[in-house]
Amino acid sequence: MQDRRIDAIDRKILAELQRDGRVTIQDLAGRVGLSASPCLRRIRMLEEAGILKGYVALVDQSKVGLPISVFASVKLERQREEELDRFAEAVARWPEVVECYLMTGRHDYLVRVVVPDLAAYERFLKDKLTRLDGVGSIESSFALGQVKYTNVLPV
């Protein structure tokens, strides 16, 4: 099921669900040109194939008291598998980290941290990130504003 190919109707379903994950099956089916039962069957197959990974509510970070986004570029002392795994396991446990990417180039990881204020970011650095064995250097960049944000993939 993992190698399932998606066709034009699947792409329409994915595009519509990305725009509105709460759409009813009847409305979705109408938008993509199917009846409800085949549409639901396709959704279930997309879920089983891991193409549709889940459904979420998007929350405005500023309105819940988390206006600060910091992008931390992290360089490890060594890039051995054990160190990479240790870092990945640690950041997966930290709720302040909302995104983390293994990178090519000068730094090993790019981490997006969301916090209420600068003092909270300082605590995150001192209590978590700098205490992690194997971290060689950290460069923090503070987002001044968000120009674009989307979860919608161009399927």
Side-chain angles (χ1 to χ4, degrees), residues 15-151:
E16 291 296 330
L17 286 174
Q18 287 183 100
R19 279 192 263 299
D20 180 6
R22 295 182 68 180
V23 65
T24 66
I25 291 297
Q26 290 76 18
D27 286 344
L28 178 60
R31 292 180 196 176
V32 301
L34 293 174
S35 62
S37 291
C39 185
L40 184 56
R41 240 185 334 271
R42 282 178 177 260
I43 290 170
R44 288 195 177 130
M45 289 183 348
L46 291 166
E47 290 170 344
E48 289 169 10
I51 295 167
L52 271 174
K53 294 171 58 171
Y55 301 86
V56 299
L58 298 177
V59 177
D60 184 313
Q61 73 182 69
S62 291
K63 291 182 179 177
V64 294
L66 298 166
I68 307 295
S69 282
V70 185
F71 293 87
S73 297
V74 179
K75 176 115 179 100
L76 301 181
E77 292 170 347
R78 288 183 223 95
Q79 292 75 31
R80 291 192 307 215
E81 186 174 359
E82 310 85 61
E83 282 85 3
L84 295 170
D85 289 346
R86 184 181 321 119
F87 186 85
E89 289 167 8
V91 298
R93 292 189 307 267
W94 298 336
E96 303 91 341
V97 175
V98 294
E99 295 179 77
C100 179
Y101 300 93
L102 180 61
M103 305 294 291
T104 63
R106 262 183 348 141
H107 296 96
D108 298 310
Y109 288 95
L110 180 62
V111 180
R112 180 170 160 235
V113 180
V114 175
V115 289
D117 52 39
L118 296 179
Y121 183 66
E122 182 180 7
R123 281 191 308 277
F124 170 79
L125 277 179
K126 288 180 178 178
D127 297 345
K128 294 180 179 176
L129 198 52
T130 59
R131 290 185 183 204
L132 188 59
D133 285 338
V135 171
S137 67
I138 304 162
E139 290 182 21
S140 300
S141 297
F142 292 81
L144 299 177
Q146 189 175 72
V147 176
K148 180 180 179 181
Y149 174 82
T150 184
N151 282 359

